[in-house]
Amino acid sequence: MVANVKLAVVYYSSTGTIHGMAERIAQAGEKAGAEVRLRQVAELAPEEAIASNAAWSQHFDRTKNEPRATADDIVWADAVLFGTPTRYGNVASQLKQFIDTLGPQWGQGLLADKAYAGFTASMTAHGGQESTLLALYNTMYHFGGIVVAPGYTDPLKFADGNPYGVSHVTGGNNDAPLTDVDNAALDHLAQRIVKVAGKLKS
């Protein structure tokens, strides 16, 4: 257990996969002793785009009243886990737009010296998961943040196979549930970043 670590889990989810991953990470962070804020970034897509996909529309309606991420959530945190679906091998525009609003905090040095990592999902195993996480981390370097990728720091990482963060394959219908392997990797990511953030604070 690591006391006094503040963990922000900030994510974008269209159909619910990243939402489920974020909830799992938040629970694991709390079990590791952190104070956790679970925050979703704002939806930017037009109503007609959302309405064109039943799963997207349903998830939007289910989560529209959940707390939205603000710059204060990042400033407050000792550790930040960002979640995004893969969009053409890159970060979803909704999360990227939120990150782009953090310029004032970045300019004041308020985003530096924190632990950062990420998680993502795509329909296929080679659908851009690793490039999405690497693209996300480009921003963390500009923050002066400390990227705490899981690497192969636990044997379970040889099962999920992603040293850059955690990724899930949603399948052709975009609805494959999280597996035991996924959940173990998410738990490990949360535990690791809380542990490292605790060391950075000490």
Side-chain angles (χ1 to χ4, degrees), residues 29-169:
E30 289 176 346
K31 287 180 182 177
E35 180 182 352
V36 178
R37 288 186 185 179
L38 179 63
R39 299 289 189 267
Q40 183 172 224
V41 300
E43 179 60 82
L44 303 177
E47 291 181 7
E48 57 269 25
I50 298 171
S52 70
N53 181 319
W56 192 355
S57 181
Q58 290 165 11
H59 181 70
F60 176 78
D61 288 340
R62 282 197 305 269
T63 62
K64 62 185 178 183
N65 294 322
E66 292 193 0
R68 291 294 184 258
T70 68
D72 177 68
D73 295 316
I74 311 300
V75 173
W76 166 86
D78 304 305
V80 182
L81 286 168
F82 284 114
T84 176
T86 291
R87 291 292 183 262
Y88 310 110
N90 213 323
V91 178
S93 60
Q94 291 87 342
L95 180 63
K96 184 62 167 60
Q97 195 273 345
F98 170 76
I99 290 172
D100 286 350
T101 68
L102 300 175
Q105 291 74 29
W106 166 78
Q108 297 173 63
L110 299 175
L111 309 181
D113 303 326
K114 300 175 185 290
Y116 293 92
F119 55 102
T120 189
S122 65
M123 292 178 67
T124 62
H126 299 285
Q129 295 176 342
E130 293 178 355
S131 64
T132 296
L133 293 171
L134 292 171
L136 175 66
Y137 296 160
N138 287 338
T139 302
M140 307 307 106
Y141 299 133
H142 280 255
F143 285 175
I146 299 162
V147 174
V148 184
Y152 293 99
T153 53
D154 187 284
L156 64 84
K157 290 303 295 178
F158 289 96
D160 97 292
N162 189 338
Y164 303 100
V166 177
S167 54
H168 170 66
V169 178

